[in-house]
Amino acid sequence: MYVPQILMPALFELEKNFVSAQEDTDFQKKFHDLLKNYAGRPTPLTLCRNLTKGTKTRIYLKREDLLHGGAHKTNQVLGQAMLAIRMKKKEIIAETGAGQHGVAAAIACALLNLKCRIYMGVKDVKRQSTNVFRMQLMGAKVISVKNGSGTLKDACNEALRDWSSTYKTSHYMIGTAAGPHPYPTIVREFQKMIGEETKKQILEQENKLPNSIIACIGGGSNAIGIFSDFIYDKVNLIGVEPAGHGIHTGKHGAPLKHGRTGIYFGMKSHLMQNQEGQIQESWSISAGLDFPSVGPEHAWLNSTHRAQYVSITDQEAINAFQSLCREEGIIPALESSHALAYALKIMKMHPQKKQILIVNLSGRGDKDIFTVHDVLKKGKKNESISDNV
């Protein structure tokens, strides 16, 4: 734990209650009942029939976009909200970038009668205005953060600062598999059903495991959720970081492959930083991937070479976004479009190779349609598209 001393009691309390909840059959029964009868699990595994036409590649999508709330985020917030009640907390503090975690937090708080305040960078408030309205409709207070770059990292800092003075009555509902212990473990455990369902479904449909599982990486929650049940199988695990304008420009959000070890957000992990060790601003057209660090379990998977981490540019993600809309009738989140873009790249490199690829479609793209609209309208698809958002 790399946090101020004042937060240590709160983290110890959280760890104690999480461990006991994992062993509490009543807690687990209620959690899984909410996942099934409120959130809508299990989500389907959909074969892309048109995108792969003329090839021997079979691409499947794990449809977290069909979960209540529109993204995988709903899974773990239900678990964390139940933990908050177990600890007798009355308020939830959350942070969000793309707004999907904020929406999920607002959903859980409305359902379980908890107060909710959500920190969001001023830049993200503007580019994800529909999600801001959704949070407000469900009773959450959205606090616009103007500090720093006005994005997710600044929202995280403000949320952590708030929690430092209010943890006796509030629970900080971190939105990804990052931050101080025990958060990365908590989020992974509350997201691992994605991988469990995927394994069962692909064995039912193909009678064998896939060649590769591909997921986008910001903080890393959707990726660690789907990776978790395949770590000890002979399956390629591929995480896709945002290359933004292009890695060579420095305007990207790829700390795993192009950052170095540092301390940030209460954890030791890969981090985008300048030569003096200051946090370097990250960049992605996708607000949910615009984070300068990554969960520590991904850093471990990278260092042990168990998972491969690659990057996809804004332009490649936009192209994949359009392809899925036109060919399969599915509007993906820009985050997920990064993972899809890399799957399509693999397919194009080996069109006649028999291979099964699974992409975790972590969220739906309703929130991103205005961003994509502006990019396409201005006709700058082959230029620097990020300046338009």
Side-chain angles (χ1 to χ4, degrees), residues 182-209:
Y183 279 104
T185 303
I186 289 174
V187 174
R188 181 197 64 209
E189 290 299 302
F190 286 155
Q191 293 286 10
K192 69 179 183 181
M193 78 290 289
I194 303 174
E196 293 169 347
E197 286 176 15
T198 301
K199 179 179 281 187
K200 182 180 179 182
Q201 291 167 328
I202 196 65
L203 289 173
E204 288 174 351
Q205 296 193 46
E206 295 283 351
N207 199 30
K208 61 182 177 182
L209 295 177

Side-chain angles (χ1 to χ4, degrees), residues 86-388:
R86 190 180 183 88
M87 294 184 291
K88 305 188 186 310
K89 310 293 184 183
K90 303 293 185 185
E91 303 171 317
I92 294 295
I93 300 166
E95 88 297 314
T96 192
Q100 290 299 87
H101 174 59
V103 169
I107 287 172
C109 289
L111 177 69
L112 299 177
N113 196 27
L114 292 163
K115 290 183 178 179
C116 183
R117 55 182 179 273
I118 299 167
Y119 289 89
M120 193 168 186
V122 64
K123 190 182 296 182
D124 294 335
V125 168
K126 181 180 179 183
R127 60 181 172 175
Q128 300 294 343
S129 58
T130 54
N131 269 345
V132 171
F133 187 51
R134 292 170 74 194
M135 293 176 229
Q136 292 170 333
L137 281 175
M138 288 181 282
K141 180 180 180 182
V142 180
I143 301 168
S144 178
V145 177
K146 299 177 182 176
N147 301 337
S149 59
T151 60
L152 180 57
K153 77 175 179 63
D154 308 295
C156 290
N157 291 339
E158 286 303 311
L160 204 57
R161 189 171 292 121
D162 183 336
W163 196 41
S164 298
S165 58
T166 62
Y167 66 82
K168 290 184 178 177
T169 57
S170 67
H171 169 64
Y172 181 11
M173 184 182 279
I174 287 181
T176 191
H181 174 77
Y183 279 104
T185 303
I186 289 174
V187 174
R188 181 197 64 209
E189 290 299 302
F190 286 155
Q191 293 286 10
K192 69 179 183 181
M193 78 290 289
I194 303 174
E196 293 169 347
E197 286 176 15
T198 301
K199 179 179 281 187
K200 182 180 179 182
Q201 291 167 328
I202 196 65
L203 289 173
E204 288 174 351
Q205 296 193 46
E206 295 283 351
N207 199 30
K208 61 182 177 182
L209 295 177
N211 298 84
S212 301
I213 291 179
I214 306 159
C216 62
I217 300 281
S221 65
N222 90 91
I224 206 66
I226 196 167
F227 287 177
S228 61
D229 209 42
F230 294 90
I231 287 177
Y232 300 105
D233 296 317
K234 291 184 177 178
V235 174
N236 297 319
L237 305 178
I238 303 174
V240 184
E241 296 186 294
H245 287 262
I247 296 297
H248 66 283
T249 68
K251 296 199 74 172
H252 61 80
L256 264 173
K257 300 307 293 185
H258 303 280
R260 54 194 171 92
T261 304
I263 305 297
Y264 170 66
F265 196 37
M267 64 181 178
K268 183 178 181 181
S269 188
H270 282 240
L271 175 64
M272 293 181 62
Q273 52 190 306
N274 61 23
Q275 291 184 340
E276 288 74 39
Q278 298 298 312
I279 297 172
Q280 189 173 329
E281 190 174 336
S282 60
W283 174 263
S284 173
I285 191 173
S286 169
L289 302 182
D290 190 1
F291 187 59
S293 189
V294 64
E297 192 163 355
H298 286 293
W300 172 71
L301 291 172
N302 178 57
S303 65
T304 58
H305 306 291
R306 175 60 191 94
Q308 174 189 0
Y309 293 91
V310 298
S311 57
I312 283 291
T313 65
D314 289 349
Q315 184 63 67
E316 291 171 316
I318 288 282
N319 293 344
F321 179 100
Q322 291 181 276
S323 294
L324 197 64
C325 291
R326 290 172 177 169
E327 299 294 335
E328 304 289 346
I330 297 170
I331 302 175
L334 278 174
E335 290 88 339
S336 314
S337 300
H338 286 71
L340 178 65
Y342 196 75
L344 295 175
K345 188 175 281 190
I346 294 174
M347 182 181 75
K348 290 174 183 173
M349 283 191 292
H350 307 287
Q352 296 308 310
K353 179 181 177 181
K354 285 188 176 181
Q355 55 185 342
I356 299 171
L357 311 177
I358 296 178
V359 173
N360 195 17
L361 203 71
S362 56
R364 70 188 188 205
D366 307 41
K367 65 186 178 57
D368 295 318
I369 57 175
F370 298 110
T371 297
V372 176
H373 171 269
D374 289 347
V375 170
L376 300 179
K377 185 178 179 181
K378 292 181 179 179
K380 294 185 178 180
K381 290 169 62 180
N382 297 319
E383 300 177 18
S384 176
I385 58 180
S386 295
D387 291 339
N388 296 320

Side-chain angles (χ1 to χ4, degrees), residues 76-87:
Q76 72 102 7
V77 298
L78 291 173
Q80 285 206 49
M82 288 177 60
L83 274 181
I85 293 170
R86 190 180 183 88
M87 294 184 291

